[in-house]
Amino acid sequence: MLTMISSKPEPTNRRSTGGPRHPQRRLPTLSTSASLMFLPFISFVFCQEPPIIVSPPPTSLTLCRPYTFTWTGGAPPYTLSLRIPLGQLDLPAALPFTNISAQRFTWMPDLIETELLARVFDSKSANATSTVFTVAAGDTVSCVKSTPVVDTAPSASTIPVSGAARQGLSPEALLGLVAGAVGLLLIVTAVLYWLWMHARDRRRGFSRASKTTP
């Protein structure tokens, strides 16, 4: 009798031991601590206020005719300061307007300057300036405030004079001055006398040495 032999290989549960084994590769992952480190930077980038941009005013404004400055960006409240440009610097031309909640401010031009600019500050000290403009004279000057300049420096007649200056030095003060002058004179005399004695002794020593030399 012929026996049928199957050509299908029998399954086996044994693992092959031949050939090198390669460790399983894992994709790099971002740890929780590392991601937390980037949170402040991400929040700073996305929560940062946009920069302030001041809309350019006309090149010339008219005295006592209102004009509204507008700007974008920044964080309220704002401060508007009118300044005089001096090269790379600028100086305030008037008191600033503070606590502005909106991104606009209406100003009544009450001063005439050859050149001015508006500088806007926000609550985080960020600032931006407008283009340079001038204020020309109009048909009225009713908005100009004329405040007299008061000289606060005291005059010579109002300066109080102390009793010691009116009456002169007291006898005790005069005696102290005389005693100090006499003491200084004695110290100077003693120093001069010591120098003279030292020089005389040196001369005597030289003369004795010259006599004993054969």
Side-chain angles (χ1 to χ4, degrees), residues 5-86:
I5 301 175
S6 177
S7 62
K8 184 178 180 180
E10 296 181 359
T12 176
N13 294 328
R14 292 182 300 177
R15 295 181 180 178
S16 175
T17 58
R21 293 184 179 181
H22 299 282
Q24 185 179 2
R25 295 184 180 180
R26 295 183 179 179
L27 295 177
T29 57
L30 188 64
S31 63
T32 305
S33 59
S35 57
L36 291 176
M37 292 174 60
F38 288 98
L39 281 179
F41 176 75
I42 297 174
S43 60
F44 172 77
V45 172
F46 286 96
C47 297
Q48 190 176 10
E49 298 292 340
I52 302 174
I53 300 177
V54 183
S55 301
T59 56
S60 179
L61 304 181
T62 305
L63 187 68
C64 298
R65 186 174 297 177
Y67 173 77
T68 301
F69 291 98
T70 59
W71 59 87
T72 59
Y78 302 96
T79 298
L80 177 67
S81 176
L82 299 171
R83 308 177 77 84
I84 303 173
L86 296 174

Side-chain angles (χ1 to χ4, degrees), residues 71-156:
W71 59 87
T72 59
Y78 302 96
T79 298
L80 177 67
S81 176
L82 299 171
R83 308 177 77 84
I84 303 173
L86 296 174
Q88 300 295 329
L89 303 176
D90 50 77
L91 298 177
L95 294 177
F97 304 98
T98 59
N99 295 325
I100 304 173
S101 58
Q103 294 178 337
R104 69 180 65 89
F105 182 79
T106 301
W107 175 56
M108 178 70 72
D110 56 354
L111 50 90
I112 298 179
E113 290 289 344
T114 55
E115 288 186 344
L116 285 173
L117 58 84
R119 184 180 290 272
V120 178
F121 300 85
D122 71 349
S123 59
K124 298 181 180 180
S125 300
N127 65 89
T129 58
S130 69
T131 55
V132 178
F133 60 91
T134 60
V135 178
D139 53 1
T140 179
V141 292
S142 59
C143 64
V144 179
K145 300 178 182 179
S146 58
T147 55
V149 179
V150 180
D151 187 6
T152 58
S155 60

Side-chain angles (χ1 to χ4, degrees), residues 154-173:
S155 60
S157 59
T158 60
I159 298 177
V161 182
S162 61
R166 291 196 300 266
Q167 299 177 2
L169 295 176
S170 62
E172 292 80 4

Side-chain angles (χ1 to χ4, degrees), residues 193-203:
Y193 178 75
W194 180 84
L195 292 175
W196 177 77
M197 292 290 294
H198 184 67
R200 188 186 65 176
D201 293 341
R202 291 185 62 183
R203 288 197 300 270

